[in-house]
Amino acid sequence: MGGREKELNDEDFIVSKTDTKGKIIYCNEIFAKMAGYKISDLIGANHNIIRHPDMPALAFKIAWELIQSKKEFFGFVKNLCSNGNYYWVFACITADLDVDGNIISYTSVRRKAPKCAIETIIPIYKLLLDAEISQGVKASSKVLDNFLNQNQTTYDEFIINLQNNIKAKS
Ligand SMILES: Cc1cc2nc3c(=O)[nH]c(=O)nc-3n(C[C@H](O)[C@H](O)[C@H](O)COP(=O)(O)O)c2cc1C
């Protein structure tokens, strides 16, 4: 899939909030601007409206498993604009809890992903996606586990180091 890359400004934060099913209930102006929609088109839409086909399903499986168990998800996400362009972000997604600890919604805050991190993650996502296309998400999960084992790291450590190392260098 083609499309041109759009870049976030260094100081920008993209924010959105969903209900427990992943339907958008809030997004900020910069979210709508980057994705190429009006805010009113986005409210009520499933968050997968900006899902890019280059993203492996495994990334979202990991995200949902973590946030549903009230843990933070960090990851690099390639998002699709309404006109076929795309933009990369470093995303954090968390559950919002009521006073009894029940999940009432989810919130995501994203900022610009460093170029080096994107360059590292592209071939990894390609491997995962290829495994998914031929053999499904179980297979891509094995590919990721092997990669993390070989690099003696965990998913969180890998992702956060990627973001931080690059930040330290720039
Ligand atoms: C708060 C929140 C923010 C999300 N942000 C994104 C996002 O920016 N891009 C994206 O593709 N999916 C995002 N997702 C995940 C989507 O809900 C969905 O799982 C993903 O797009 C895959 O969709 P699909 O399973 O229908 O293919 C987010 C989910 C939540 C709860």
Side-chain angles (χ1 to χ4, degrees), residues 16 18 22 46-48 50-52 60 64 67 77 79 93 106-108 110:
S16 64
T18 73
N46 188 306
H47 214 305
N48 68 7
I50 56 163
R51 187 204 198 293
H52 197 286
F60 301 117
W64 277 100
I67 63 176
V77 181
N79 278 327
I93 316 180
Y106 297 104
T107 300
S108 180
R110 312 139 180 110

Side-chain angles (χ1 to χ4, degrees), residues 14 16-24 31 46-52 55-57 60-61 63-64 67 77-80 87 89 91-94 105-110:
I14 298 183
S16 64
K17 201 179 256 296
T18 73
D19 66 8
T20 53
K21 302 258 179 342
K23 226 197 251 178
I24 299 169
F31 181 113
N46 188 306
H47 214 305
N48 68 7
I49 188 170
I50 56 163
R51 187 204 198 293
H52 197 286
M55 281 297 295
F60 301 117
K61 184 169 179 280
W64 277 100
I67 63 176
V77 181
K78 182 177 184 176
N79 278 327
L80 183 67
Y87 58 97
V89 291
C92 172
I93 316 180
T94 50
S105 54
Y106 297 104
T107 300
S108 180
V109 179
R110 312 139 180 110

Side-chain angles (χ1 to χ4, degrees), residues 69-111:
S69 48
K70 304 177 189 173
K71 295 183 186 132
E72 278 179 320
F73 165 80
F74 292 100
F76 293 97
V77 181
K78 182 177 184 176
N79 278 327
L80 183 67
C81 309
S82 62
N83 66 357
N85 287 345
Y86 62 89
Y87 58 97
W88 279 94
V89 291
F90 175 65
C92 172
I93 316 180
T94 50
D96 308 314
L97 311 179
D98 68 12
V99 285
D100 299 317
N102 302 307
I103 297 176
I104 47 172
S105 54
Y106 297 104
T107 300
S108 180
V109 179
R110 312 139 180 110
R111 52 197 169 103

Side-chain angles (χ1 to χ4, degrees), residues 83-152:
N83 66 357
N85 287 345
Y86 62 89
Y87 58 97
W88 279 94
V89 291
F90 175 65
C92 172
I93 316 180
T94 50
D96 308 314
L97 311 179
D98 68 12
V99 285
D100 299 317
N102 302 307
I103 297 176
I104 47 172
S105 54
Y106 297 104
T107 300
S108 180
V109 179
R110 312 139 180 110
R111 52 197 169 103
K112 186 174 174 174
K115 271 230 152 29
C116 293
I118 299 170
E119 280 163 15
T120 305
I121 214 80
I122 286 174
I124 298 170
Y125 278 177
K126 173 90 171 65
L127 278 180
L128 300 179
L129 193 64
D130 287 347
E132 277 168 20
I133 290 167
S134 56
Q135 298 168 73
V137 179
K138 260 202 176 150
S140 69
S141 181
K142 269 200 188 137
V143 172
L144 181 62
D145 285 347
N146 288 341
F147 172 84
L148 296 172
N149 284 338
Q150 270 167 20
N151 288 278
Q152 297 186 312

